[in-house]
Amino acid sequence: MHQLPSGSQELARTILAATTDLTLASIRDDGTPHASTVSFAADGLVLYVAIALDSHKAHNLRTHPRVALTVNAPYRSWNEIQGLSMDAMAEMIHEPVEAQRAAAALLARFPAFAQVVANTSALPWPGMLFVRITPLALSLLDYTKGFGHTDFFDLRGAGTP
Protein backbone atom coordinates (compact mmCIF):
# COMPACT_ATOMS: atom_id res chain seq x y z
CA MET A 1 0.00 0.00 0.00
CA HIS A 2 1.33 3.44 -0.90
CA GLN A 3 1.81 5.89 1.96
CA LEU A 4 0.14 9.27 2.35
CA PRO A 5 2.28 12.40 2.64
CA SER A 6 2.96 13.06 6.34
CA GLY A 7 0.56 16.03 6.68
CA SER A 8 -2.26 14.08 5.05
CA GLN A 9 -1.47 11.01 7.16
CA GLU A 10 -1.74 13.16 10.30
CA LEU A 11 -5.08 14.65 9.19
CA ALA A 12 -6.47 11.17 8.45
CA ARG A 13 -5.38 9.94 11.89
CA THR A 14 -6.89 13.01 13.56
CA ILE A 15 -10.22 12.44 11.81
CA LEU A 16 -10.22 8.73 12.72
CA ALA A 17 -9.38 9.54 16.35
CA ALA A 18 -12.12 12.18 16.59
CA THR A 19 -14.99 9.78 15.95
CA THR A 20 -15.93 6.22 16.79
CA ASP A 21 -18.37 5.38 13.99
CA LEU A 22 -18.19 5.16 10.24
CA THR A 23 -20.77 4.66 7.52
CA LEU A 24 -19.96 1.49 5.61
CA ALA A 25 -21.41 0.82 2.17
CA SER A 26 -21.38 -2.79 1.05
CA ILE A 27 -23.00 -4.45 -1.97
CA ARG A 28 -26.04 -6.73 -1.80
CA ASP A 29 -26.37 -9.79 -4.03
CA ASP A 30 -28.65 -7.89 -6.41
CA GLY A 31 -26.04 -5.14 -6.79
CA THR A 32 -27.76 -2.48 -4.70
CA PRO A 33 -25.70 -0.66 -2.07
CA HIS A 34 -26.33 -1.16 1.63
CA ALA A 35 -25.08 1.53 4.02
CA SER A 36 -24.85 1.00 7.76
CA THR A 37 -23.19 2.54 10.79
CA VAL A 38 -20.31 0.56 12.31
CA SER A 39 -18.05 1.33 15.26
CA PHE A 40 -14.36 0.90 14.47
CA ALA A 41 -10.81 0.91 15.77
CA ALA A 42 -7.91 2.11 13.64
CA ASP A 43 -4.35 0.90 13.24
CA GLY A 44 -3.00 3.66 11.03
CA LEU A 45 -5.34 3.62 8.04
CA VAL A 46 -6.32 -0.02 8.49
CA LEU A 47 -9.66 -0.26 10.28
CA TYR A 48 -11.07 -3.09 12.40
CA VAL A 49 -14.75 -3.73 13.00
CA ALA A 50 -16.73 -6.47 14.73
CA ILE A 51 -20.01 -7.38 13.06
CA ALA A 52 -22.73 -9.92 13.78
CA LEU A 53 -22.10 -13.29 12.16
CA ASP A 54 -25.55 -13.38 10.55
CA SER A 55 -25.87 -9.67 9.66
CA HIS A 56 -26.61 -8.22 6.23
CA LYS A 57 -23.11 -6.73 6.29
CA ALA A 58 -21.50 -10.11 6.91
CA HIS A 59 -23.41 -11.71 4.05
CA ASN A 60 -22.59 -8.82 1.71
CA LEU A 61 -18.88 -8.89 2.60
CA ARG A 62 -18.64 -12.63 2.05
CA THR A 63 -19.73 -12.23 -1.57
CA HIS A 64 -18.51 -8.68 -2.36
CA PRO A 65 -15.45 -7.59 -0.36
CA ARG A 66 -15.14 -4.15 -2.01
CA VAL A 67 -16.63 -1.42 0.19
CA ALA A 68 -16.78 2.34 0.52
CA LEU A 69 -16.97 4.27 3.77
CA THR A 70 -17.08 7.74 5.22
CA VAL A 71 -15.91 9.15 8.55
CA ASN A 72 -16.73 12.71 9.61
CA ALA A 73 -15.16 14.50 12.55
CA PRO A 74 -17.51 16.59 14.71
CA TYR A 75 -17.75 20.25 13.70
CA ARG A 76 -19.56 23.42 14.74
CA SER A 77 -19.49 25.32 11.44
CA TRP A 78 -18.95 24.41 7.81
CA ASN A 79 -15.50 25.99 7.68
CA GLU A 80 -14.38 23.35 10.25
CA ILE A 81 -15.60 20.27 8.34
CA GLN A 82 -13.00 17.51 8.08
CA GLY A 83 -13.72 13.98 7.00
CA LEU A 84 -12.56 11.17 4.84
CA SER A 85 -13.99 8.70 2.41
CA MET A 86 -12.35 5.47 1.47
CA ASP A 87 -12.63 2.81 -1.21
CA ALA A 88 -11.40 -0.36 0.46
CA MET A 89 -11.25 -4.12 0.72
CA ALA A 90 -13.04 -5.71 3.66
CA GLU A 91 -11.72 -9.11 4.67
CA MET A 92 -12.91 -11.48 7.37
CA ILE A 93 -10.08 -12.11 9.80
CA HIS A 94 -9.22 -15.78 10.27
CA GLU A 95 -5.59 -15.62 11.44
CA PRO A 96 -5.35 -15.90 15.27
CA VAL A 97 -2.65 -13.22 15.63
CA GLU A 98 -4.65 -10.66 13.65
CA ALA A 99 -7.88 -11.65 15.43
CA GLN A 100 -6.11 -10.89 18.72
CA ARG A 101 -4.91 -7.54 17.32
CA ALA A 102 -8.45 -6.64 16.20
CA ALA A 103 -9.97 -7.70 19.55
CA ALA A 104 -7.40 -5.72 21.53
CA ALA A 105 -7.88 -2.59 19.40
CA LEU A 106 -11.68 -2.80 19.64
CA LEU A 107 -11.66 -3.45 23.41
CA ALA A 108 -9.22 -0.60 23.99
CA ARG A 109 -11.47 1.80 22.11
CA PHE A 110 -14.76 0.34 23.33
CA PRO A 111 -14.42 -1.17 26.83
CA ALA A 112 -18.22 -1.66 26.84
CA PHE A 113 -17.75 -4.62 24.48
CA ALA A 114 -16.79 -6.56 27.63
CA GLN A 115 -20.34 -6.04 28.95
CA VAL A 116 -22.23 -6.87 25.74
CA VAL A 117 -20.16 -9.74 24.34
CA ALA A 118 -20.54 -13.09 26.11
CA ASN A 119 -16.82 -13.95 26.05
CA THR A 120 -14.25 -11.44 24.78
CA SER A 121 -11.41 -13.91 25.40
CA ALA A 122 -12.77 -16.21 22.67
CA LEU A 123 -11.59 -15.30 19.17
CA PRO A 124 -13.57 -14.30 17.29
CA TRP A 125 -16.14 -13.23 19.86
CA PRO A 126 -19.22 -15.49 20.02
CA GLY A 127 -21.70 -14.64 17.26
CA MET A 128 -19.36 -12.09 15.69
CA LEU A 129 -16.80 -11.69 12.94
CA PHE A 130 -13.76 -9.45 12.93
CA VAL A 131 -13.22 -7.57 9.68
CA ARG A 132 -10.09 -5.78 8.48
CA ILE A 133 -10.77 -2.84 6.15
CA THR A 134 -7.74 -1.92 4.06
CA PRO A 135 -7.87 1.28 2.01
CA LEU A 136 -7.39 1.28 -1.75
CA ALA A 137 -8.09 4.99 -2.24
CA LEU A 138 -8.65 7.83 0.20
CA SER A 139 -10.22 11.26 -0.13
CA LEU A 140 -9.56 13.80 2.62
CA LEU A 141 -12.17 16.52 2.96
CA ASP A 142 -10.77 19.62 4.68
CA TYR A 143 -12.93 22.75 4.65
CA THR A 144 -10.34 24.57 6.79
CA LYS A 145 -8.49 24.96 3.45
CA GLY A 146 -11.60 26.25 1.66
CA PHE A 147 -15.18 25.17 0.99
CA GLY A 148 -15.21 21.68 -0.56
CA HIS A 149 -11.41 21.24 -0.46
CA THR A 150 -10.61 17.57 -1.10
CA ASP A 151 -7.31 15.75 -1.66
CA PHE A 152 -7.42 12.31 -3.33
CA PHE A 153 -4.84 9.57 -2.85
CA ASP A 154 -4.62 6.26 -4.72
CA LEU A 155 -3.13 3.85 -2.16
CA ARG A 156 -3.04 0.73 -4.32
CA GLY A 157 0.31 -0.83 -4.95
CA ALA A 158 1.35 -1.92 -8.43
CA GLY A 159 -0.85 -4.74 -9.69
CA THR A 160 -3.68 -4.17 -7.16
CA PRO A 161 -7.13 -3.94 -8.77
Side-chain angles (χ1 to χ4, degrees), residues 2-56:
H2 291 158
Q3 295 294 314
L4 291 177
S6 62
S8 298
Q9 180 106 14
E10 183 60 33
L11 176 57
R13 286 185 178 167
T14 298
I15 292 166
L16 292 171
T19 187
T20 55
D21 297 321
L22 58 83
T23 300
L24 181 69
S26 57
I27 304 168
R28 293 184 172 117
D29 285 339
D30 67 1
T32 59
H34 174 250
S36 55
T37 301
V38 182
S39 297
F40 71 94
D43 180 8
L45 295 178
V46 174
L47 308 179
Y48 293 107
V49 301
I51 61 174
L53 187 61
D54 60 353
S55 66
H56 288 289

Side-chain angles (χ1 to χ4, degrees), residues 5 15 24 30 55 61 76 80 95 98 116 130 156:
I15 292 166
L24 181 69
D30 67 1
S55 66
L61 297 179
R76 292 182 308 273
E80 297 175 350
E95 310 84 31
E98 189 159 18
V116 298
F130 293 131
R156 293 173 281 222

Side-chain angles (χ1 to χ4, degrees), residues 6-147:
S6 62
S8 298
Q9 180 106 14
E10 183 60 33
L11 176 57
R13 286 185 178 167
T14 298
I15 292 166
L16 292 171
T19 187
T20 55
D21 297 321
L22 58 83
T23 300
L24 181 69
S26 57
I27 304 168
R28 293 184 172 117
D29 285 339
D30 67 1
T32 59
H34 174 250
S36 55
T37 301
V38 182
S39 297
F40 71 94
D43 180 8
L45 295 178
V46 174
L47 308 179
Y48 293 107
V49 301
I51 61 174
L53 187 61
D54 60 353
S55 66
H56 288 289
K57 289 181 291 294
H59 176 75
N60 295 347
L61 297 179
R62 284 185 191 99
T63 56
H64 302 284
R66 299 273 312 248
V67 296
L69 63 89
T70 62
V71 178
N72 300 298
Y75 62 91
R76 292 182 308 273
S77 66
W78 280 7
N79 62 349
E80 297 175 350
I81 293 174
Q82 293 181 316
L84 62 81
S85 63
M86 187 184 290
D87 297 331
M89 291 296 291
E91 301 169 274
M92 309 293 178
I93 296 173
H94 301 290
E95 310 84 31
V97 171
E98 189 159 18
Q100 181 58 48
R101 184 180 305 127
L106 288 163
L107 280 169
R109 189 141 199 219
F110 305 102
F113 266 130
Q115 281 83 47
V116 298
V117 173
N119 180 4
T120 57
S121 63
L123 296 176
W125 298 333
M128 303 190 89
L129 296 167
F130 293 131
V131 178
R132 174 186 54 245
I133 301 173
T134 306
L136 300 173
L138 180 77
S139 291
L140 286 172
L141 185 66
D142 188 359
Y143 279 30
T144 67
K145 294 181 178 179
F147 185 82

